[in-house]
Amino acid sequence: MSKPELIVMAAGIGSRYGGLKQIEPIGPGGEIILDYSIYDAKQAGFGKIIFVINQKIERAFRERIDQTIGQHCATAYAYQELENLPDGFEVPPDRQKPWGTGHAVLSCKDQVDTTFAVINADDFYGRTAFQALGSYLQNSMDRKEICDFCMVGYNLENTLTEHGHVARGVCKVDQEGRLIEVRERTHIQKFNGNVKYTENGETWIEIPGDSLVSLNLWGFTPVMFAELEERFAHFMSENRGNLLAAEFFLPEVVNQLIDENKATVQVLQTQERWFGVTYQEDKIRVKNAVQELILQGDYPRQLWG
């Protein structure tokens, strides 16, 4: 059986961070968060790495990746461009934002023909998360017309920043540990020890800190590409009047497949703590966390040395 592959969604523009956070150095040797994710994925048995980027960031991103990760892993690039649309559709003149995470993964349909995982480029997921994901994907097998997917689930309180709000997919899981639903909450924040979310910027609703959430750490079989392609065309048709702002989210496709009994999604729970650079103020915390993991022996000081 071939090794599972890894799709890295790296085409974001980092509007809240104010720069290209995907290549922001946070390790003692200038390592970026993605260096640690790929290192963990390689140790967990993953093969080729496919980076989803766009032309605006290509030069800076490839210069950084090719001299480190590219020297130790098989890599490829896929391009998430606004113009990559089904026949009959055009990009609205004022549209700037990418079409969403579902479109990012769809951009890789000609690059992947085996089981694969999906991650964000700027999230630190933790070693055991990749171990659980890699182990599941190496044995994953679709049954008749039901896809065999998986997702790594985190405790919400382990995924927050002290410096503002985050977006998380809040999950419902059945007694067998399978995903029932993931609902995107785009504005979750800590307030004096409590965690709350808002949908309108005015009313805040408390949410338990031990709620299970998704950080876009998914595992799929190749049939997912056909589902994404079909559903993206439907998404474009449904949103003809809102193409300036509409986004094609990966979790929404997963929800649809679950509702239609076309997929099961096993939730692999982890106690790992998330680190990320959503805001400039997060960088010090991430650097300190990485240094602590190095002192514990989880990573060598010079990661690729």
Side-chain angles (χ1 to χ4, degrees), residues 215-251:
L215 293 176
N216 268 338
L217 186 51
W218 299 95
F220 298 115
T221 58
V223 72
M224 185 59 165
F225 291 113
E227 294 290 350
L228 286 169
E229 191 164 31
E230 178 182 336
R231 291 163 196 271
F232 184 54
H234 183 67
F235 161 87
M236 295 295 292
S237 296
E238 277 197 331
N239 288 278
R240 282 186 183 273
N242 188 36
L243 291 180
L244 195 60
E247 290 190 67
F248 183 56
F249 289 118
L250 186 61

Side-chain angles (χ1 to χ4, degrees), residues 5-281:
E5 298 181 347
L6 184 66
I7 292 175
V8 179
M9 297 187 292
I13 56 177
S15 56
R16 279 181 289 175
Y17 186 72
L20 197 59
K21 60 182 178 178
Q22 298 95 316
I23 56 173
E24 185 73 50
I26 49 88
E31 292 87 357
I32 60 178
I33 286 178
L34 193 49
D35 282 312
Y36 293 96
S37 292
I38 301 305
Y39 182 88
D40 287 340
K42 186 179 180 184
Q43 297 292 316
F46 283 84
K48 185 173 68 173
I49 316 297
I50 303 97
F51 300 101
V52 182
I53 60 174
N54 59 49
Q55 293 180 1
K56 292 180 181 179
I57 71 168
E58 179 177 14
R59 182 175 179 180
F61 188 85
R62 291 192 68 151
E63 283 180 355
R64 176 60 183 80
I65 295 301
D66 291 349
Q67 67 184 358
T68 51
I69 294 170
Q71 301 299 311
H72 299 270
C73 304
T75 61
Y77 289 87
Y79 296 86
Q80 183 185 15
E81 303 293 353
L82 286 173
E83 296 75 18
N84 294 344
L85 296 174
D87 292 340
F89 294 94
E90 295 183 355
V91 181
D94 294 328
R95 174 95 190 194
Q96 297 293 326
K97 196 172 186 179
W99 289 109
T101 50
H103 185 252
V105 175
L106 180 56
S107 301
C108 302
K109 68 183 179 69
D110 296 326
Q111 303 261 18
V112 180
D113 61 2
T114 185
T115 57
F116 65 97
V118 176
I119 67 170
N120 296 326
D122 54 351
D123 288 325
F124 186 99
Y125 291 101
R127 174 172 296 179
T128 62
F130 284 100
Q131 290 173 344
L133 194 60
S135 177
Y136 192 94
L137 287 175
Q138 286 170 7
N139 297 287
S140 182
M141 186 176 297
D142 296 334
R143 303 175 306 282
K144 294 183 179 179
E145 296 182 358
I146 301 178
C147 303
D148 184 14
F149 298 160
C150 63
M151 183 208 86
V152 178
Y154 290 74
N155 285 342
L156 174 60
E157 60 193 358
N158 289 341
T159 73
L160 302 174
T161 173
E162 300 290 339
H163 304 294
H165 69 272
V166 296
R168 298 288 180 257
V170 181
C171 302
K172 289 183 180 179
V173 179
D174 68 16
Q175 293 182 342
E176 296 180 340
R178 291 178 175 172
L179 186 66
I180 298 172
E181 175 191 52
V182 55
R183 175 173 291 189
E184 196 74 13
R185 301 294 187 193
T186 58
H187 207 123
I188 300 177
Q189 195 164 342
K190 291 174 69 172
F191 293 94
N192 300 320
N194 295 321
V195 184
K196 300 179 180 182
Y197 73 89
T198 181
E199 295 182 337
N200 57 17
E202 298 178 0
T203 304
W204 290 87
I205 302 168
E206 191 163 341
I207 181 172
D210 61 356
S211 298
L212 197 65
V213 298
S214 163
L215 293 176
N216 268 338
L217 186 51
W218 299 95
F220 298 115
T221 58
V223 72
M224 185 59 165
F225 291 113
E227 294 290 350
L228 286 169
E229 191 164 31
E230 178 182 336
R231 291 163 196 271
F232 184 54
H234 183 67
F235 161 87
M236 295 295 292
S237 296
E238 277 197 331
N239 288 278
R240 282 186 183 273
N242 188 36
L243 291 180
L244 195 60
E247 290 190 67
F248 183 56
F249 289 118
L250 186 61
E252 290 183 5
V253 175
V254 173
N255 282 339
Q256 292 168 10
L257 291 170
I258 292 172
D259 289 344
E260 296 166 13
N261 293 317
K262 289 187 173 182
T264 59
V265 182
Q266 189 67 40
V267 177
L268 313 172
Q269 296 194 34
T270 181
Q271 296 303 311
E272 292 280 3
R273 299 189 68 85
W274 164 89
F275 306 112
V277 284
T278 306
Y279 304 91
Q280 284 283 346
E281 295 85 353

Side-chain angles (χ1 to χ4, degrees), residues 287-303:
K287 285 185 173 182
N288 291 339
V290 168
Q291 182 63 27
E292 184 176 338
L293 291 171
I294 291 171
L295 292 175
Q296 290 175 189
D298 289 355
Y299 300 103
R301 187 167 182 81
Q302 299 297 323
L303 195 63

